Amino acid sequence: MNSLNIDDLTKHFKTKTVIEMADIVDFYRVADEQIKSTTIRWRVHSLVQKEILQRVGRGKFRFGKSTTYIPEISPKSKSIYNKISKDFPFSRICVWHTSVFNEFMQHQMGKFYYLVEVEKDAVEAVFYSLKERNLSVFLNPNQEILDKYIPENKDIYIVKTLVSEAPTQQIGKIYTVSIEKMLVDIFCDETIFAAQQGAEMRTIFNDALSKYTINQNKMLRYADRRKRKNDFNNYLKTIANYRQQN
């Protein structure tokens, strides 16, 4: 334990929201210039095992115990997922409900949607399949459609293309949204996630980063798939600065 220098490590990096492996290497080499890289990797492994550090990406850490985000899966989400997976057994599917944002938002939403994301080749077929079940379903709606044609007091289903390599997670037998996917999605889609823009988005990011272990490399890979990697990375930097100042 003494070799880990936990107290000094904590004091040294107390203002950092994300600690790079290179920074940890420099920290230990101040005390011992001859320390081997394998020894430093073992120390980092020990710090993670002891829940002093948590991994938030490749070569990236922050203090604290790892906490995995697991969204609630409603019976309706399970039902719609099971129906789609039965009809389209070879398509990737991700089903989630926008009420998951309530945990992170300062102002609660007035409208909620079931988001049904499937691979590009199956999008229209899934849309018509749900429409045949007399559901209020929309296919990649624009802002005008969302403003004018969303019925009141009905469950709304929005069918979207599931971006390849999107970071979903499996809960039971259901594939649903991960925290990394959720954050990138609200940044990239200002139409579906209009209620999560501006100051509200900053609140969501700040709260999510405070509560859960989030893999930043995974977010950046997904943002890259959505062709917004640089913009998203710059936004993460503004969030990091905001968290340091508050």
Side-chain angles (χ1 to χ4, degrees), residues 214-239:
I214 299 176
N215 189 311
Q216 295 197 16
N217 293 84
K218 188 180 291 186
M219 285 198 295
L220 290 171
R221 284 196 300 272
Y222 180 47
D224 192 30
R225 300 297 296 176
R226 300 204 60 165
K227 305 186 187 306
R228 295 292 303 277
K229 181 179 179 179
N230 290 337
D231 292 339
F232 185 77
N233 192 35
N234 289 333
Y235 185 73
L236 286 181
K237 291 176 182 177
T238 67
I239 293 297

Side-chain angles (χ1 to χ4, degrees), residues 23-82:
D23 296 329
I24 298 175
V25 170
D26 290 343
F27 169 80
Y28 283 119
R29 284 193 169 148
V30 167
D32 182 0
E33 294 182 359
Q34 303 303 315
I35 190 171
K36 296 180 180 178
S37 296
T38 53
T39 302
I40 296 175
R41 286 198 295 271
W42 174 85
R43 290 183 181 182
V44 170
H45 174 75
S46 297
L47 290 165
V48 172
Q49 292 296 107
K50 296 176 186 299
E51 297 181 341
I52 306 299
L53 293 179
Q54 56 180 290
R55 297 183 188 275
V56 294
R58 183 177 298 173
K60 296 181 179 180
F61 306 86
R62 75 173 187 178
F63 288 110
K65 178 182 178 181
S66 294
T67 307
T68 302
Y69 172 72
I70 302 177
E72 181 179 352
I73 309 295
S74 70
K76 285 186 179 180
S77 292
K78 291 179 182 178
S79 176
I80 202 70
Y81 182 94
N82 290 334

Side-chain angles (χ1 to χ4, degrees), residues 79-96:
S79 176
I80 202 70
Y81 182 94
N82 290 334
K83 288 174 183 176
I84 296 170
S85 60
K86 182 179 179 181
D87 293 342
F88 303 90
F90 302 109
S91 180
R92 282 190 69 211
I93 306 165
C94 176
V95 174
W96 54 297

Side-chain angles (χ1 to χ4, degrees), residues 54-56 62 65-74 77 94-105 109 115 167-172 174-186 193 196 204-205 207-215 218-219:
Q54 56 180 290
R55 297 183 188 275
V56 294
R62 75 173 187 178
K65 178 182 178 181
S66 294
T67 307
T68 302
Y69 172 72
I70 302 177
E72 181 179 352
I73 309 295
S74 70
S77 292
C94 176
V95 174
W96 54 297
H97 194 253
T98 54
S99 62
V100 296
F101 290 112
N102 284 351
E103 178 183 351
F104 308 105
M105 293 178 67
M109 298 164 57
L115 298 176
T168 60
Q169 64 173 316
Q170 186 175 10
I171 299 176
I174 309 298
Y175 280 92
T176 190
V177 70
S178 66
I179 192 77
E180 291 86 1
K181 182 180 186 306
M182 180 194 303
L183 295 177
V184 174
D185 282 348
I186 64 173
F193 304 107
Q196 288 79 36
I204 293 169
F205 270 75
D207 203 28
L209 288 163
S210 297
K211 289 182 176 180
Y212 298 105
T213 303
I214 299 176
N215 189 311
K218 188 180 291 186
M219 285 198 295

Side-chain angles (χ1 to χ4, degrees), residues 118-163:
V118 294
E119 290 175 308
K120 184 178 181 179
D121 292 344
V123 168
E124 287 196 12
V126 169
F127 168 72
Y128 287 113
S129 175
L130 295 179
K131 201 169 183 64
E132 289 172 359
R133 300 176 187 273
N134 295 317
L135 299 174
S136 295
V137 56
F138 298 84
L139 176 61
N140 292 321
N142 58 30
Q143 193 63 58
E144 182 181 6
I145 290 175
L146 289 176
D147 290 339
K148 291 184 177 180
Y149 302 108
I150 296 296
E152 298 292 335
N153 303 318
K154 275 191 174 184
D155 289 327
I156 308 302
Y157 297 84
I158 293 178
V159 179
K160 299 177 64 213
T161 300
L162 181 63
V163 177

